Every structure is written in C-alpha cells, then in structure tokens.
Amino acid sequence: MNFAVLVFPGTWSDRDCLYVLRDGLGQQASPVWHKEPDLSAFDAVVIPGGFSYGDHLRCGAIARFSPVMEAVVRHADAGKPVIGICNGFQILCESHLLPGALMRNDSLQFRCMDTHLRIDNPHTMFTSAGSAGQVLRVPISHGEGNYYADADTIARLEDERRVVFRYVTPAGGQTAAANPNGSLNNIAGIINERGNVLGMMPHPERAGDALTGGTDGLVIFRSMIESALAVAG
Amino acid sequence: MPPDQRTLDQLSLSLAEYERIVDLLDREPNEVELGMFGALWSEHCGYKNSRPLLKMFPTEGAYVLTKAGEENAGVVDIGDGRGVAFKIESHNHPSAIEPYEGAATGVGGIVRDIFAMGARPVAILDSLRFGPPQPDADTPPGVAAHNRHLLIGVVEGIGGYGNCLGIPTVGGEVSFSPSYSGNPLVNAMCIGVARIDRLQRARADGPGNLLMLVGADTGRDGIHGATFASVELDESSEERRPAVQVGNPFLEKLLMEACVQLAEEHGDWIVGLQDLGAAGLTSSSVECAAKAGTGIIIDVAKAPRREAGMTPYEVMLSESQERMLVIVKPEHEADVRALFEHWELHCATIGRVTDDGIVRIRDGDEEVAAVPARMLTDAPTYVRDGAPPRWLEDLQRRDLSPYAGDARDASDALLALLRSPEIASKRWVWRQYDHEVGTDTVAGPGADAAIIRIKGTTKAIAATTDGNAAYTHLDAYAGGAIAVVEAARNVACAGARPVAMTNCLNFGNPEKPDVYFQLKEAIRGMADAARALDVPVISGNVSLYNETNGEAIWPTPVVGVVGLLGDVGRAVPLAFRAGHDVLLIGPQPDVAGLAGSQYLRLREGLLAGRPAVDLDMAAKLQRFLVDAAAAGLLVSAHDIAAGGLAVAVAESCIAGDTGFDGDVTGDALTLFSETQSRAVVSCAPADTAAVERLARSCGVPAARVGATGGERMRLGPVDLAVHTLRDAFESGFPEAVAGVNANV
C-alpha cells in the first residue's frame, strides 16, 4: 500500500509515521510537502501530528489553506482513506472534513502520557483488525485535544457509531478520570459519514514498537492495509 | 577620553579593561567597537574568571571526537559512523525576569548549538532549581508564591518551545533551596546525532566565501543579553526586561530542518555553520573568523531588520532568536538560498571572509568598526585568591553521629521523604513535556537515565543530569566530585557505559573570595572524578554572578553524562518485578552520608557535616554495573542517592508495582544515609551467585538484602503498602506547586 505522509511547516510526526509504515509494516510511504497539489498516486493519506504553522491563529487553521488540502478533499471524496493524527485531526476539523473542534485541554496544560482507547466501532477501515471493546494503549501528546461539538452533532456521531475510539480505563471503563483532556463523551477519535476519514488525538505511530511503548497502535495501520487489500481483492 | 562609568557598567567592562582595549588598538574604540568588546569580554562569552580553572578538566578520551571549546558542542564517536554531540547551557538570568520566555529561549539556544554541528537533535534534558514553593522559615508566603510563579512559567516555557520542535524532553531534575529564591537556575542540555562525515564546523575559512544570515529578522530584543548574564540581579533587574529575548519555536523548527538538511545532503555547499546566541552577530561572526585565522567584512545594512532605524551597534549586538550564520561557497549562494526559501525562511548575504584577520563592520559605504578578530576573542583572564567562607568550618565539624542511631518512626520518615518535592515524582513537570516524539525513547523521565535508541543500529545512548548543591554548599570539592559520580552512576545503572560529560557551573560573584573558592574547589572535585571514571569533559557553560541583592546561590555544578549501550536490549530499568533476589551493592553507609542528606534536612532541619566520596570505589561500582548489564544478569538497578536505601527500594517498588521483603538493621544510617557509590539491584535467584562473584571480582561489596514480591515494602522497621508509597510519591509535587499563584 502506498501512503502519502503530509508535511506542513511545523509538522513533526512525519518521520515517526514514515518509520512505522516503512520499517514496521513494510509499506511504501513518502513524505509529501504541503505545496503538492496532486495525491492521485497514493492509496492513503496520513496527516501527522506537530505544530503546523506554529499553531498560529488556531491549531490547523492555516494548514487547511495549503494547496495539498484541496487534493486531500478530492482523495476523501473518492472514498480513499485519510487518517489525521493529533494536529492532523485538528486540520481535518478546520477543513470541515470532520465535524467539531478541539479546544484547550481542560487542565489548561499540555499532556504527554499513555491513554487507553476502547474500539467502539470495529466495522471501519481503521479498526477492522481489532474487535469491539478492545482496549489499546496509545499515547497522547497535545495541549488542544478537548473534543467539542454541539449537542446535535454529538448525538448524530453517537447514533451513527462514528465515535471510533474513546478514552477509557485499562479495563475499558468510560470514566472521567480516564479522560485526559475533557473531551465530550470521552471522544478520542471519530470518522466522517462515509467512514473513510478518521481523526484521532492519540498517536498510534508511537505505539508501533515493543521497545518504545508497545505495539497497540499497529492495529489501526493494519486495518487500513487489510481494508485496502479487501477492496482490491 | 574613556566613557563614563555608567556606559562601562552597562557593558560590564572595568576601567582597566577599557585601558587595555585602548592599548591593544592604539586608539580609543568607537561605540560599536566598544560594544563588541563588552560582549565578547563578558564572563558569558569570554570566560574571564573561569577559563584558567577549566584547564583542570580532562578533555581526552577513547570516544572523544570533538573536544571542549573547539566547536559549538563536543562530539563523541559511538561507532557505526555516527557521532553524538551534546552540551548544556544556562539561561538563569532571563528566567528570573521572564520565566516563560527565559526558559523557552534557553531551550532554543542549546538546540541551535547542536544543529549548528550538523547533528539532528534527539533529546533535551532540563536541570532546574527554584526557591521553596511553599512558605518555610526562610521563605515568606509572598516569596513562595513568586517561586511557584517562576517554576510554573519555566516548565511551561520549556514545554512550549521543546514540544513545538518535535524533540523529546526526556529527563532532568528539579531541586529546591532558599538560596534560589529570586535567582532560579534553568540549565538545558541537548543531544544530537550525526553521521560523522556530515559534521559541520563553526569556522569562516577561505577568503571570498560568503556570510549568509538566515532565519528570523533582526530586532532590538535582547541587546546586552550577554552582559546582563554577567552581573548580579537586584531590584532594578526588572528594568532589564528588554534584555530578555522572545522565542518563536515555529521558526526554530524550520531553521532546524533546513540546517540538518543542508548538513546531511549538501555539506559541500558550505564551509561553516554557526548559531547566533549571546552577543548575536558579534560573537558568531568574530568567533568563526578567529577560529579560522581569517577576517570578515559585514555590511549591517544588508541584515533584514524587524524594525526601522536600528543603528549598526544595535544590529551587531541584537540577540534576536532563531538566527544562524552560514559560511557559503560563492558558487553555491543560489543553492543555499533556494534551500532556505523552500523552508520559507529569510536568507541574506551580509558579508564575506577576508584574509587580513580583521573584523570590519560597514553600514553601506561607511566603515563603522575595524578590530582584529583575535583581539576580541582573547578576553583577559583573572586568577583570583579564593578563601573558604567563614561559616564553613563550624558547619563541617558538626558531629552527626548522634543522628545515626535508631530512626524514629521510620515508616513516617520514609513517607515524608517520598512526599517532599525534592524526592517526589516530577510527573507534574514532565507530563507537560513531549518525551516520546521521535519514537526512540526506551526510557524517559523518571528513570535513572533516559535511554534513546539509535535507529539503524543495535545501539542506544543513555543520558542524565545531576548536581546536589547541598553537598557542594558543605564541601565544594566533594560536591563537585559527587555531581560527576552520581550522574555517571545513573547512566551505569541503566546499563550504559559513561563515555563523556558536559557541565554547567552555576555560581555567585567570582570577585568574592568565598565564591571563587567554591568555584575552584568544585571544578577540582569534578576534574578528579572525571579522571577516575574516565568521563572527559567535552562541552560546558559557566554562569556566574547568580546573586540576588548580594546573596549568592548555593554553588551548583550541574553535570550531564552520556553513556553508550552496545545492545539496547540490555538496558536495565529501575522497576522491581516479583520473584527476584535484591542485592545492595557498594560500601557500608557512613556518617559522611548523612551530611546534606534529605533525611537530616527534612526530619531534623539540619544541613551540616562534611560529605565525602571514594572515587576509587565509584569507578569499581561503575565497572560492576556496566559489566553486569552487558552479561544480562540484572532485572533492575537503581542508584542510592537522595533519601538513601529506603527511598531507593521504595522507588523500585513503586515503578514495578511490586513489594519487597528484606531484613536490615533499623538505624537511620542504614535506611537514610546517602553514602556514595551504592546501588540496589535485583536478579533472578539463579543468578545471585554470579552477581556476587562479579561484584567480588570488581572489588565492590555486595550483600543480598531481601527479595521482591507481594504488595508491601518491608525493610527493617519500615512496613508499608506499595500503594501508600505511591500515593506519597505522586502527591508530593502537585501539593507543593498548588496555591494562589500571585503573578508578582
């Protein structure tokens, strides 16, 4: 599978994503500078974490105007997978590819720590290699990860099972203490209506190696690869 | 006619130094020239007081590739064609005035030093010191609130800058003493990895080559920062606020990516790379020329400005952040410009290298300064007479043996130690730092030493910072030596072989005999320890004049040690796992181990006695730890430091969520002495004999003291549930920083 890993000025998870996709999973993956207008050669798009444009104005607010984002919209419209991680999630919200917004953490502090994510919908191209209720240990690293949307939007997301990942205890319990940033309904990751665009605050690429934090994040990338093979097959 | 005293004071030059400049030039310097002398002859740039003392440090070793003082940072060769560059630097004075920006730009400065070498920064560590965060006998509530304000701001600044760069902050320390009220210490260390054949030099070689200034535009911020760092703080220091720089980590990130790409892919386009730090364009350009034995011409009119109407003096002395000087071969000027423009950075050719050894500054057609480069870098040095402080002898002679006997309420004492902000978990601090980006962090904050794997090899590096100023306050020689010994021991506990060190010397005003005595003795102790452990000094920084209203800080040498692990799979954690034997490695505790100990400070309010260290034993323990790890014998290893054996065992229990059962005598000496060169290790019962044999062959005492398992820690009279230990350990720091944070 051929992944495009987008690079905006200020992106820093690009190298980590490239490493896990190439060295960890043996996939093709290329860095793509934000001025690139064409993504048609790629099967999947990764919008990695970082501080695109230094988070100036608002996280992701400037990156959404980069030329590559028009190509991302076309890619998503074609039904091909897009995963936005951390700042990538923020960019997807700013671009209106996903609903809602990510506000300052309720602690008003940056947080870098392990979180536990429960797979609440295993029937997506990002979770098919996992199982319903499975708990993944994946770290977060953000100051603005507090997911918010109006009540109607939240109700729709829940009704349509578009909340894919939720912050939970290691045993799978949805508690306030397990919520690291104040996100509504402990939301850690959501998909669009069509199910091919995922935004998540935690960093699955940091959970790709037993030596440095476990391998639970690989479930997400493996799901993308298997789903693509299933489509191709 | 010499300038008036006020002008000289502003430049931190003495009248004698001014007269020396006139002698050397054979004329009076003009304003621009005098400003350049002031900056380069400051303690911060010129090491006037410390240079003769720093010669005591050993600088050579089997791994050393670039020695101290040769480049922006020292480099060690770790094999596989890779070099590791590292350095520590202070940003104390700016952080005292403006904690967020002071700490942020401290991180920015040290990171630039590393990528100026052509290395990609892979880790940051921060060694921090503050006044007490809660009121006590020496700390009125208002002072405690200000200390909290500084701590919170510094931590936010480090996170705000480092997190944005995508460099993990993997370790460091936070420590407290009333002597830091009003004068916090912020020492930042950065480590980078480069291919050895891509390393860059900070030299302006080759007349005709071009000087390009890249990155941020030049503004009026930070003028006189180098001289500001070389004077004492007082009430008027707040007026120096314009001398504190403001950071833009986004720009630094772009600059870092551009410079690393330039070094890795196009090193043949350039001859030198230098960051603009203290004294800005002046020190960076003059030092590059002096090193190469060349001259330079700079036209300040060509430097992109942030504001109109800046004088040549202001352009030359601005400390605007996020700027680099690149010495470019003329045929590649357009290539280099294109590379920086790709990263959306400004780039201006402001001058060229010449062959006459003279730094000439022009403003358009007019020459505004002309001084031989080496005259500027050859700052005068002072060898002073030190004398021990008058209070020292009484303090050292205090008999501590009455405190060595039975520990009153040993369990309570242990919980109080674990809860004290000095020993308590610093999670509150490091969860605000991204310590995982780069996916190389095998062990991060909270470990004895951080472990960073080197992708593409089986290797890893281990790194830590250490420095116990209570010891140095009581005995500067022993405190200096222990800073090195403890840092190296932390690295060895992780299983890595210590290969080199960097250091930051934070002291008071060296013109005072007692401060000079402390500085000299601490350096002598550090040098002896560095020799004994074979960890040469490859870089460092000196921060003097750390005084507030005439009161010096405790003498605070901070040491950063980097070690090498040949096989990252052999890294040793500090956490116990159930079902293993636990051994105490090292000498019997002694009364010297109570001097400056956390136990006596906390339980008896006593800071006295004379700490000591046996350097021969330290070297033997280091060999044991490295060999035992390489042989795969150890399940865990943790050094005995602040809080003694009881705290070391408790920390291993907490980290592994596993109990311990062991029988030791219940006296305070056994439980809480901080006697050097000791570690608590655990191993499979089948390996215990082999561990004991190895210890014997290394000449280190070893004794089995118990076994791991269960949910309680039992150590002599101590009997506590592991979750009780954890509650104390985890709650201490958040409690210490809680309160009304007056923005004073």
Side-chain angles (χ1 to χ4, degrees):
Chain A
M1 192 165 180
N2 193 2
F3 288 83
V5 176
L6 306 192
V7 185
F8 298 88
T11 297
W12 45 233
S13 271
D14 47 331
R15 293 158 50 82
D16 299 350
C17 289
L18 289 166
Y19 179 75
V20 76
L21 290 169
R22 289 170 176 167
D23 296 69
L25 294 165
Q27 303 299 305
Q28 272 187 283
S30 310
V32 175
W33 188 236
H34 70 114
K35 289 187 175 161
E36 174 61 48
D38 180 13
L39 292 170
S40 55
F42 296 97
D43 305 313
V45 172
V46 180
I47 311 181
F51 287 69
S52 61
Y53 291 97
D55 277 357
H56 295 163
L57 191 59
R58 220 172 35 243
C59 307
I62 302 178
R64 69 165 287 211
F65 294 108
S66 281
V68 79
M69 287 312 295
E70 288 176 30
V72 171
V73 170
R74 284 196 299 275
H75 182 92
D77 286 348
K80 294 200 274 186
V82 177
I83 176 172
I85 299 165
C86 194
N87 188 224
F89 187 9
Q90 295 163 341
I91 293 170
L92 289 172
C93 289
E94 288 287 337
S95 307
H96 305 297
L97 284 166
L98 290 172
L102 294 141
M103 307 193 303
R104 188 104 179 106
N105 293 348
D106 59 354
S107 63
L108 304 182
Q109 288 181 343
F110 193 93
R111 279 287 179 275
C112 178
M113 57 190 273
D114 271 346
T115 58
H116 292 85
L117 309 181
R118 190 178 66 208
I119 298 179
D120 273 7
N121 182 351
H123 308 293
T124 76
M125 60 174 76
F126 306 97
T127 52
S128 56
S131 52
Q134 185 180 352
V135 176
L136 309 177
R137 183 167 62 93
V138 182
I140 58 162
S141 183
H142 60 244
E144 278 96 5
N146 180 354
Y147 184 77
Y148 179 84
D150 61 67
D152 288 348
T153 305
I154 293 287
R156 245 188 98 192
L157 286 172
E158 296 287 4
D159 286 350
E160 295 169 4
R161 298 191 68 192
R162 285 164 55 196
V163 177
V164 176
F165 301 114
R166 241 183 270 274
Y167 300 109
V168 293
T169 64
Q174 183 185 333
T175 67
N179 185 340
N181 52 30
S183 290
L184 286 176
N185 295 11
N186 285 37
I187 288 172
I190 57 170
I191 48 173
N192 64 347
E193 279 175 76
R194 191 166 171 179
N196 66 321
V197 177
L198 168 74
M200 63 188 295
M201 286 313 294
H203 286 272
E205 78 283 4
R206 295 189 186 186
D209 193 332
L211 192 61
T212 54
T215 55
D216 286 2
L218 294 180
V219 167
I220 294 159
F221 298 114
R222 284 211 178 101
S223 300
M224 292 173 74
I225 295 163
E226 284 170 19
S227 302
L229 288 175
V231 170
Chain B
M1 246 272 299
D4 58 24
Q5 194 59 42
R6 197 171 163 274
T7 307
L8 288 176
D9 283 351
Q10 202 174 33
L11 296 166
S12 302
L13 285 172
S14 68
L15 189 58
E17 285 165 347
Y18 178 79
E19 284 164 357
R20 180 170 168 156
I21 292 166
V22 175
D23 259 6
L24 286 167
L25 285 176
D26 205 18
R27 62 178 168 83
E28 303 244 323
N30 65 31
E31 188 204 6
V32 179
E33 291 165 341
L34 189 61
M36 292 167 69
F37 273 105
L40 282 161
W41 285 18
S42 68
E43 181 60 42
H44 194 83
C45 292
Y47 298 92
K48 284 192 282 208
N49 291 287
S50 52
R51 197 155 18 124
L53 300 176
L54 297 174
K55 290 188 176 138
M56 282 192 265
F57 284 143
T59 57
E60 315 236 357
Y63 295 88
V64 177
L65 197 64
T66 305
K67 290 200 290 185
E70 287 182 349
E71 296 294 339
N72 280 302
V75 184
V76 288
D77 182 344
I78 62 160
D80 294 318
R82 285 175 172 81
V84 171
F86 65 93
K87 187 182 181 184
I88 191 166
E89 209 165 67
S90 64
H91 230 215
N92 303 335
H93 284 65
S95 304
I97 307 296
E98 191 72 78
Y100 184 96
E101 294 297 345
T105 54
V107 171
I110 193 66
V111 167
R112 279 196 301 285
D113 272 331
I114 297 306
F115 70 72
M117 300 294 299
R120 176 171 283 280
V122 297
I124 295 169
L125 297 93
D126 302 286
S127 180
L128 311 177
R129 302 288 183 280
F130 300 97
Q134 294 292 333
D136 61 26
D138 303 306
T139 315
V143 172
H146 187 64
N147 291 336
R148 290 197 300 276
H149 158 74
L150 293 176
L151 185 156
I152 290 165
V154 164
V155 170
E156 275 182 5
I158 289 169
Y161 205 98
N163 295 346
C164 191
L165 296 181
I167 305 168
T169 297
V170 297
E173 324 135 77
V174 186
S175 181
F176 301 93
S177 133
S179 81
Y180 305 119
S181 287
N183 196 134
L185 302 185
V186 176
N187 294 181
M189 173 173 168
C190 184
I191 305 172
V193 178
R195 276 182 48 182
I196 286 171
D197 57 1
R198 300 292 194 270
L199 282 170
Q200 296 300 314
R201 314 194 67 178
R203 289 170 65 100
D205 278 307
N209 287 327
L210 304 176
L211 304 183
M212 292 177 88
L213 182 61
V214 302
D217 293 350
T218 299
R220 285 196 171 100
D221 46 336
I223 289 171
H224 291 150
T227 49
F228 171 50
S230 306
V231 296
E232 297 171 26
L233 296 173
D234 57 28
E235 280 92 5
S236 71
S237 297
E238 295 274 333
E239 292 168 20
R240 294 262 194 176
R241 210 180 279 270
V244 180
Q245 313 84 343
V246 175
N248 179 349
F250 171 57
L251 208 53
E252 175 111 337
K253 163 75 172 156
L254 300 179
L255 201 53
M256 174 173 81
E257 293 301 334
C259 288
V260 170
Q261 186 187 9
L262 183 61
E264 284 182 350
E265 297 173 20
H266 305 292
D268 56 318
W269 292 352
I270 63 176
V271 298
L273 200 54
Q274 165 78 303
D275 76 299
L276 275 70
L281 194 52
T282 296
S283 72
S284 63
S285 61
V286 170
E287 283 171 8
C288 279
K291 244 178 242 169
T294 55
I296 45 173
I297 291 181
I298 288 177
D299 181 357
V300 294
K302 292 185 173 153
R305 322 280 177 88
R306 202 173 287 164
E307 45 204 311
M310 287 179 70
T311 63
Y313 180 95
E314 288 172 325
V315 174
M316 287 307 293
L317 289 171
S318 160
E319 294 190 7
S320 289
Q321 299 292 292
E322 293 95 20
R323 297 180 299 161
M324 298 288 287
L325 190 66
V326 195
I327 296 104
V328 181
K329 296 176 185 168
E331 63 272 30
H332 291 294
E333 183 184 5
D335 297 327
V336 171
R337 184 183 304 280
L339 187 148
F340 282 101
E341 284 175 353
H342 167 83
W343 289 101
E344 305 182 10
L345 292 165
H346 289 175
C347 182
T349 302
I350 59 165
R352 62 186 160 81
V353 181
T354 62
D355 60 4
D356 64 0
I358 295 176
V359 174
R360 295 178 191 280
I361 310 301
R362 311 179 73 91
D363 184 6
D365 291 335
E366 184 194 358
E367 184 166 282
V368 295
V371 186
R374 286 189 172 163
M375 201 179 283
L376 287 160
T377 55
D378 191 17
T381 56
Y382 301 104
V383 176
R384 300 179 187 278
D385 289 324
R390 280 193 310 274
W391 43 262
L392 185 62
E393 197 181 338
D394 280 351
L395 215 54
Q396 288 181 336
R397 282 167 56 173
R398 182 73 177 261
D399 178 16
L400 300 181
S401 52
Y403 302 98
D406 273 0
R408 295 181 284 119
D409 310 322
S411 290
D412 281 355
L414 174 57
L415 290 177
L417 284 167
L418 289 172
R419 193 183 288 275
S420 71
E422 195 73 24
I423 291 176
S425 166
K426 307 302 185 291
R427 185 185 306 275
W428 183 91
V429 173
W430 51 256
R431 70 183 179 185
Q432 298 184 57
Y433 303 153
D434 188 338
H435 47 269
E436 295 173 329
V437 64
T439 64
D440 292 324
T441 308
V442 177
D448 279 16
I451 298 177
I452 305 294
R453 64 134 165 227
I454 310 292
K455 285 192 182 109
T457 75
T458 61
K459 291 173 179 166
I461 52 173
T464 190
T465 65
D466 262 303
N468 187 321
Y471 298 162
T472 319
H473 175 67
L474 294 174
D475 187 312
Y477 174 86
I482 290 172
V484 175
V485 163
E486 198 173 325
R489 187 167 72 235
N490 276 315
V491 163
C493 277
R497 178 183 303 282
V499 294
M501 64 175 263
T502 182
N503 68 94
C504 195
L505 300 166
N506 306 276
F507 287 77
N509 177 351
E511 296 156 38
K512 296 178 182 173
D514 54 340
V515 171
Y516 192 79
F517 168 84
Q518 292 171 328
L519 177 65
K520 186 176 169 184
E521 284 298 291
I523 293 174
R524 194 169 66 83
M526 294 165 75
D528 283 353
R531 268 190 206 93
L533 301 179
D534 197 15
V535 282
V537 176
I538 66 162
S539 58
N541 167 246
V542 178
S543 172
L544 304 180
Y545 301 93
N546 287 288
E547 308 214 348
T548 301
N549 299 326
E551 283 287 316
I553 58 161
W554 280 358
T556 313
V558 170
V559 170
V561 166
V562 169
L564 178 61
L565 256 167
D567 175 0
V568 63
R570 296 285 191 190
V572 181
L574 75 92
F576 282 156
R577 286 190 276 134
H580 296 114
D581 279 354
V582 176
L583 292 89
L584 172 57
I585 312 289
Q588 289 296 313
D590 57 11
V591 173
L594 291 177
S597 68
Q598 283 301 311
Y599 172 73
L600 281 194
R601 289 173 65 188
L602 198 68
R603 294 299 268 189
E604 308 289 346
L606 183 62
L607 176 65
R610 188 161 194 182
V613 57
D614 174 348
L615 294 177
D616 183 48
M617 184 56 76
K620 288 172 176 169
L621 178 75
Q622 178 169 309
R623 192 164 85 232
F624 165 80
L625 288 167
V626 173
D627 289 355
L633 288 172
L634 303 181
V635 174
S636 74
H638 187 27
D639 89 308
I640 296 180
L645 173 67
V647 164
V649 169
E651 287 174 343
S652 286
C653 286
I654 294 166
D657 200 14
T658 303
F660 167 86
D661 201 336
D663 196 20
V664 297
T665 53
D667 54 291
L669 207 57
T670 301
L671 295 174
F672 302 119
S673 163
E674 299 175 10
T675 298
Q676 294 300 303
S677 304
R678 300 188 302 152
V680 175
V681 307
S682 67
C683 64
D687 289 331
T688 302
V691 171
E692 287 171 338
R693 246 193 332 272
L694 180 61
R696 245 194 326 275
S697 77
C698 292
V700 195
R704 184 179 175 283
V705 291
T708 59
E711 294 173 352
R712 298 186 75 79
M713 168 180 163
R714 294 195 183 90
L715 178 72
V718 173
D719 184 358
L720 290 162
V722 174
H723 70 80
T724 307
L725 299 172
R726 175 178 293 111
D727 286 348
F729 187 61
E730 291 294 348
S731 61
F733 205 91
E735 285 167 8
V737 296
V740 179
N741 293 306
N743 194 9
V744 287

